[in-house]
Amino acid sequence: MDLNDTLSKSLTASLVPGRSTKTWKDKHISTKPDTTVLVAAALQDHIIRNLRLQNLSLSDTFKTKQRTKMSCYRPIDRNTAKPVVDTGIKRREEKKKRKEEKKKRKEDEEKEYVLDPKPLSLTLAQKMGLVDAPKALLTDSEWQLVKKRSEKQGDSAQPCAICREEFGMQQQVLLSCSHVFHRICMQAFERFSGRKSCPMCRKEQYQTRVIHDGARLHRIKCATRVQAYWRGYIVRKWYKELRRTVPPKDTKLRRKFYEEKLQEINDRLVRSCDMDIDGLFSEIDKSLAISRRVLQQFERQRVHTISEEEWEQIQIKAILREVFDCPICITPLDHWSSTTCHAADERPDGREKCGQSVRKTVLLSCSHTFHYTCLKAFEDFSEGGKHNCPLCRSTYEKKIL
């Protein structure tokens, strides 16, 4: 019932003559002048109380807290102050207490509760029946029915109708008309509109309840998104490993696969090789020097004289080789040519008949033969105290034939 219409009807009814009291019989109001004044006063009081906006469920007062003596700063008397010894027990107790408070705060945040204040006392107009009395607070079962109707509509899964943003982890309020909004959005709407009406259905004098369906749906959505990202990463990693190990069936892709494999092997070989050539040569020189020193020491320990019988065996071995030229100068060995000439034609004075000058021949312990002068020149030009055979590179002892 409109308050202005009621007021006008009540005033006109008392002033019109001949008006019967039967029309007001249901409301038990007579048309006496005293009753008319009472009705007018009751309606005026009701209108003033409504204009004061004392029944907004989300409106906050911006009054600052008064400063009490306990909150004021007081200087510390150092004479009466006592030092505190920290044993760690108090710290553990405070830590345990903070953990319990955090757990309790989390439980309180997830708990649903009604925001509407206690119903105000009825005005005189409501007591007289001129204005409808406000509805009683909804019970828990009625709130469950309102919540089910809101879930069926899907209001928590949709953006807020005021700011058009997702609910996320912010607090949301459920109205008794089953519409859902951000708590801060509804609070601003009530403050700036100056009345308590639903932004969607314009229902007045609604009741509000804090719910957490939007936060629950947001957590499920975030968990689903994280799981999707993780599964995508695992599948991409598995597919990449599959492409790296299993050759494809397509000819071009197979060729590219084996080219990449061959390139990978070549790169691995190049990385394993040391490209420092100077360092490699220096290590080879050091190892050769060490080996030479070891062999020289070993040869010094093995020095022994060769007997005549051993020289005869070495000479027979050299004859069996059938080498008649000096390996250094590539000319015939005089010893072997003079021996053959002596067997063919011998002079009366016992000298060999040979057209060339006689050159000495040297037999080495390794059964190689050289001209004495050639071997002498080779030894003069070679380095080191020990001389090696020009053919087999072994140390030797020599005998002039």
Side-chain angles (χ1 to χ4, degrees), residues 39-65:
V39 169
L43 292 175
Q44 186 179 8
D45 177 66
H46 180 78
I47 294 170
I48 292 173
R49 289 186 62 176
N50 279 343
L51 292 176
R52 287 179 184 176
L53 303 177
Q54 296 177 352
N55 55 349
L56 296 181
S57 59
L58 297 174
S59 60
D60 291 337
T61 57
F62 293 94
K63 297 179 181 179
T64 56
K65 294 182 180 179

mmCIF file of all heavy atoms in Angstrom, residues 39-65:
data_model
loop_
_atom_site.group_PDB
_atom_site.id
_atom_site.type_symbol
_atom_site.label_atom_id
_atom_site.label_comp_id
_atom_site.label_asym_id
_atom_site.label_seq_id
_atom_site.Cartn_x
_atom_site.Cartn_y
_atom_site.Cartn_z
ATOM 1 N N VAL A 39 -4.164 9.029 13.097
ATOM 2 C CA VAL A 39 -3.738 8.357 11.859
ATOM 3 C C VAL A 39 -2.723 9.194 11.115
ATOM 4 O O VAL A 39 -1.703 8.703 10.617
ATOM 5 C CB VAL A 39 -4.967 8.046 10.977
ATOM 6 C CG1 VAL A 39 -4.541 7.601 9.599
ATOM 7 C CG2 VAL A 39 -5.830 6.982 11.635
ATOM 8 N N ALA A 40 -2.981 10.494 11.049
ATOM 9 C CA ALA A 40 -2.042 11.383 10.353
ATOM 10 C C ALA A 40 -0.693 11.407 11.030
ATOM 11 O O ALA A 40 0.359 11.354 10.385
ATOM 12 C CB ALA A 40 -2.631 12.790 10.280
ATOM 13 N N ALA A 41 -0.693 11.462 12.362
ATOM 14 C CA ALA A 41 0.570 11.472 13.102
ATOM 15 C C ALA A 41 1.322 10.148 12.919
ATOM 16 O O ALA A 41 2.551 10.118 12.766
ATOM 17 C CB ALA A 41 0.312 11.738 14.568
ATOM 18 N N ALA A 42 0.581 9.026 12.921
ATOM 19 C CA ALA A 42 1.226 7.722 12.751
ATOM 20 C C ALA A 42 1.853 7.583 11.377
ATOM 21 O O ALA A 42 2.980 7.104 11.218
ATOM 22 C CB ALA A 42 0.205 6.611 12.991
ATOM 23 N N LEU A 43 1.108 8.026 10.355
ATOM 24 C CA LEU A 43 1.659 7.942 8.999
ATOM 25 C C LEU A 43 2.865 8.866 8.809
ATOM 26 O O LEU A 43 3.851 8.514 8.143
ATOM 27 C CB LEU A 43 0.565 8.271 7.977
ATOM 28 C CG LEU A 43 -0.582 7.249 7.866
ATOM 29 C CD1 LEU A 43 -1.645 7.778 6.918
ATOM 30 C CD2 LEU A 43 -0.041 5.907 7.378
ATOM 31 N N GLN A 44 2.808 10.035 9.391
ATOM 32 C CA GLN A 44 3.934 10.957 9.290
ATOM 33 C C GLN A 44 5.177 10.386 9.987
ATOM 34 O O GLN A 44 6.293 10.477 9.464
ATOM 35 C CB GLN A 44 3.537 12.307 9.910
ATOM 36 C CG GLN A 44 4.603 13.381 9.733
ATOM 37 C CD GLN A 44 4.177 14.704 10.317
ATOM 38 O OE1 GLN A 44 3.137 14.788 10.986
ATOM 39 N NE2 GLN A 44 4.954 15.758 10.076
ATOM 40 N N ASP A 45 4.975 9.805 11.139
ATOM 41 C CA ASP A 45 6.104 9.185 11.847
ATOM 42 C C ASP A 45 6.692 8.034 11.046
ATOM 43 O O ASP A 45 7.925 7.860 10.984
ATOM 44 C CB ASP A 45 5.627 8.698 13.219
ATOM 45 C CG ASP A 45 6.739 7.986 13.963
ATOM 46 O OD1 ASP A 45 7.735 8.660 14.326
ATOM 47 O OD2 ASP A 45 6.647 6.751 14.146
ATOM 48 N N HIS A 46 5.822 7.264 10.406
ATOM 49 C CA HIS A 46 6.310 6.138 9.610
ATOM 50 C C HIS A 46 7.128 6.607 8.407
ATOM 51 O O HIS A 46 8.174 6.039 8.064
ATOM 52 C CB HIS A 46 5.114 5.285 9.153
ATOM 53 C CG HIS A 46 5.513 4.097 8.335
ATOM 54 N ND1 HIS A 46 6.024 2.942 8.897
ATOM 55 C CD2 HIS A 46 5.506 3.885 6.981
ATOM 56 C CE1 HIS A 46 6.287 2.067 7.948
ATOM 57 N NE2 HIS A 46 5.995 2.625 6.763
ATOM 58 N N ILE A 47 6.653 7.691 7.741
ATOM 59 C CA ILE A 47 7.374 8.214 6.580
ATOM 60 C C ILE A 47 8.737 8.766 6.994
ATOM 61 O O ILE A 47 9.755 8.534 6.329
ATOM 62 C CB ILE A 47 6.536 9.288 5.877
ATOM 63 C CG1 ILE A 47 5.277 8.649 5.273
ATOM 64 C CG2 ILE A 47 7.341 9.999 4.793
ATOM 65 C CD1 ILE A 47 4.281 9.672 4.769
ATOM 66 N N ILE A 48 8.793 9.464 8.107
ATOM 67 C CA ILE A 48 10.068 10.043 8.567
ATOM 68 C C ILE A 48 11.064 8.940 8.911
ATOM 69 O O ILE A 48 12.247 9.015 8.572
ATOM 70 C CB ILE A 48 9.813 10.969 9.772
ATOM 71 C CG1 ILE A 48 9.033 12.206 9.320
ATOM 72 C CG2 ILE A 48 11.124 11.386 10.418
ATOM 73 C CD1 ILE A 48 8.579 13.100 10.449
ATOM 74 N N ARG A 49 10.600 7.898 9.562
ATOM 75 C CA ARG A 49 11.509 6.806 9.931
ATOM 76 C C ARG A 49 12.025 6.072 8.708
ATOM 77 O O ARG A 49 13.160 5.608 8.682
ATOM 78 C CB ARG A 49 10.783 5.851 10.880
ATOM 79 C CG ARG A 49 10.543 6.441 12.250
ATOM 80 C CD ARG A 49 9.948 5.435 13.203
ATOM 81 N NE ARG A 49 10.835 4.295 13.424
ATOM 82 C CZ ARG A 49 10.570 3.303 14.286
ATOM 83 N NH1 ARG A 49 9.429 3.318 14.979
ATOM 84 N NH2 ARG A 49 11.409 2.317 14.438
ATOM 85 N N ASN A 50 11.193 5.962 7.679
ATOM 86 C CA ASN A 50 11.663 5.324 6.443
ATOM 87 C C ASN A 50 12.688 6.192 5.729
ATOM 88 O O ASN A 50 13.635 5.684 5.116
ATOM 89 C CB ASN A 50 10.489 5.044 5.514
ATOM 90 C CG ASN A 50 9.751 3.777 5.891
ATOM 91 O OD1 ASN A 50 10.290 2.952 6.627
ATOM 92 N ND2 ASN A 50 8.539 3.622 5.426
ATOM 93 N N LEU A 51 12.528 7.506 5.759
ATOM 94 C CA LEU A 51 13.460 8.396 5.084
ATOM 95 C C LEU A 51 14.813 8.476 5.772
ATOM 96 O O LEU A 51 15.794 8.925 5.194
ATOM 97 C CB LEU A 51 12.853 9.797 4.974
ATOM 98 C CG LEU A 51 11.654 9.918 4.034
ATOM 99 C CD1 LEU A 51 11.093 11.327 4.086
ATOM 100 C CD2 LEU A 51 12.040 9.545 2.608
ATOM 101 N N ARG A 52 14.869 8.072 7.018
ATOM 102 C CA ARG A 52 16.158 8.067 7.717
ATOM 103 C C ARG A 52 17.062 6.912 7.282
ATOM 104 O O ARG A 52 18.233 6.876 7.643
ATOM 105 C CB ARG A 52 15.912 7.983 9.234
ATOM 106 C CG ARG A 52 15.373 9.273 9.815
ATOM 107 C CD ARG A 52 15.128 9.105 11.298
ATOM 108 N NE ARG A 52 14.521 10.316 11.863
ATOM 109 C CZ ARG A 52 14.133 10.418 13.136
ATOM 110 N NH1 ARG A 52 14.247 9.359 13.948
ATOM 111 N NH2 ARG A 52 13.620 11.542 13.576
ATOM 112 N N LEU A 53 16.531 5.971 6.545
ATOM 113 C CA LEU A 53 17.323 4.852 5.982
ATOM 114 C C LEU A 53 18.039 4.081 7.083
ATOM 115 O O LEU A 53 19.230 3.830 7.030
ATOM 116 C CB LEU A 53 18.348 5.382 4.974
ATOM 117 C CG LEU A 53 17.781 6.192 3.808
ATOM 118 C CD1 LEU A 53 18.907 6.705 2.946
ATOM 119 C CD2 LEU A 53 16.823 5.365 3.002
ATOM 120 N N GLN A 54 17.284 3.709 8.106
ATOM 121 C CA GLN A 54 17.899 2.973 9.202
ATOM 122 C C GLN A 54 17.877 1.462 8.982
ATOM 123 O O GLN A 54 18.370 0.721 9.813
ATOM 124 C CB GLN A 54 17.156 3.287 10.506
ATOM 125 C CG GLN A 54 17.273 4.744 10.906
ATOM 126 C CD GLN A 54 16.477 5.032 12.155
ATOM 127 O OE1 GLN A 54 15.722 4.186 12.627
ATOM 128 N NE2 GLN A 54 16.644 6.236 12.696
ATOM 129 N N ASN A 55 17.321 1.004 7.886
ATOM 130 C CA ASN A 55 17.176 -0.432 7.695
ATOM 131 C C ASN A 55 17.972 -0.937 6.490
ATOM 132 O O ASN A 55 17.595 -1.883 5.844
ATOM 133 C CB ASN A 55 15.696 -0.795 7.511
ATOM 134 C CG ASN A 55 15.076 0.016 6.370
ATOM 135 O OD1 ASN A 55 15.687 0.954 5.893
ATOM 136 N ND2 ASN A 55 13.860 -0.356 5.981
ATOM 137 N N LEU A 56 19.072 -0.253 6.155
ATOM 138 C CA LEU A 56 19.946 -0.755 5.093
ATOM 139 C C LEU A 56 20.878 -1.813 5.686
ATOM 140 O O LEU A 56 21.588 -1.559 6.653
ATOM 141 C CB LEU A 56 20.757 0.388 4.478
ATOM 142 C CG LEU A 56 19.942 1.484 3.753
ATOM 143 C CD1 LEU A 56 20.892 2.508 3.177
ATOM 144 C CD2 LEU A 56 19.058 0.885 2.681
ATOM 145 N N SER A 57 20.880 -3.002 5.075
ATOM 146 C CA SER A 57 21.631 -4.111 5.661
ATOM 147 C C SER A 57 23.117 -4.002 5.412
ATOM 148 O O SER A 57 23.920 -4.550 6.161
ATOM 149 C CB SER A 57 21.124 -5.435 5.079
ATOM 150 O OG SER A 57 21.271 -5.441 3.671
ATOM 151 N N LEU A 58 23.563 -3.294 4.316
ATOM 152 C CA LEU A 58 24.976 -3.240 3.959
ATOM 153 C C LEU A 58 25.593 -1.878 4.151
ATOM 154 O O LEU A 58 26.742 -1.661 3.806
ATOM 155 C CB LEU A 58 25.163 -3.651 2.489
ATOM 156 C CG LEU A 58 24.766 -5.087 2.157
ATOM 157 C CD1 LEU A 58 24.864 -5.306 0.658
ATOM 158 C CD2 LEU A 58 25.656 -6.073 2.876
ATOM 159 N N SER A 59 24.844 -0.894 4.641
ATOM 160 C CA SER A 59 25.377 0.456 4.789
ATOM 161 C C SER A 59 26.344 0.487 5.963
ATOM 162 O O SER A 59 26.099 -0.112 7.011
ATOM 163 C CB SER A 59 24.247 1.450 5.018
ATOM 164 O OG SER A 59 23.533 1.103 6.194
ATOM 165 N N ASP A 60 27.454 1.180 5.766
ATOM 166 C CA ASP A 60 28.477 1.314 6.808
ATOM 167 C C ASP A 60 28.509 2.755 7.283
ATOM 168 O O ASP A 60 28.323 3.692 6.506
ATOM 169 C CB ASP A 60 29.863 0.944 6.284
ATOM 170 C CG ASP A 60 29.948 -0.542 6.009
ATOM 171 O OD1 ASP A 60 29.152 -1.275 6.601
ATOM 172 O OD2 ASP A 60 30.815 -0.950 5.205
ATOM 173 N N THR A 61 28.752 2.914 8.521
ATOM 174 C CA THR A 61 28.922 4.251 9.076
ATOM 175 C C THR A 61 30.377 4.632 8.951
ATOM 176 O O THR A 61 31.277 3.813 9.181
ATOM 177 C CB THR A 61 28.496 4.260 10.556
ATOM 178 O OG1 THR A 61 29.262 3.278 11.251
ATOM 179 C CG2 THR A 61 27.020 3.958 10.683
ATOM 180 N N PHE A 62 30.629 5.875 8.594
ATOM 181 C CA PHE A 62 31.988 6.339 8.397
ATOM 182 C C PHE A 62 32.500 7.104 9.616
ATOM 183 O O PHE A 62 33.423 7.906 9.503
ATOM 184 C CB PHE A 62 32.058 7.247 7.161
ATOM 185 C CG PHE A 62 31.798 6.507 5.897
ATOM 186 C CD1 PHE A 62 30.522 6.465 5.353
ATOM 187 C CD2 PHE A 62 32.818 5.833 5.255
ATOM 188 C CE1 PHE A 62 30.269 5.779 4.190
ATOM 189 C CE2 PHE A 62 32.569 5.150 4.083
ATOM 190 C CZ PHE A 62 31.295 5.116 3.551
ATOM 191 N N LYS A 63 31.917 6.871 10.730
ATOM 192 C CA LYS A 63 32.358 7.538 11.937
ATOM 193 C C LYS A 63 33.640 6.895 12.436
ATOM 194 O O LYS A 63 33.749 5.670 12.486
ATOM 195 C CB LYS A 63 31.285 7.446 13.030
ATOM 196 C CG LYS A 63 29.987 8.156 12.654
ATOM 197 C CD LYS A 63 28.975 8.007 13.761
ATOM 198 C CE LYS A 63 27.651 8.679 13.392
ATOM 199 N NZ LYS A 63 26.646 8.522 14.459
ATOM 200 N N THR A 64 34.576 7.718 12.791
ATOM 201 C CA THR A 64 35.843 7.203 13.314
ATOM 202 C C THR A 64 35.673 6.827 14.775
ATOM 203 O O THR A 64 34.852 7.403 15.506
ATOM 204 C CB THR A 64 36.934 8.272 13.182
ATOM 205 O OG1 THR A 64 36.511 9.460 13.853
ATOM 206 C CG2 THR A 64 37.191 8.595 11.711
ATOM 207 N N LYS A 65 36.491 5.914 15.188
ATOM 208 C CA LYS A 65 36.425 5.469 16.575
ATOM 209 C C LYS A 65 36.996 6.550 17.485
ATOM 210 O O LYS A 65 37.980 7.212 17.161
ATOM 211 C CB LYS A 65 37.210 4.174 16.741
ATOM 212 C CG LYS A 65 36.599 3.010 15.987
ATOM 213 C CD LYS A 65 37.401 1.761 16.242
ATOM 214 C CE LYS A 65 36.797 0.571 15.497
ATOM 215 N NZ LYS A 65 37.570 -0.663 15.719
#
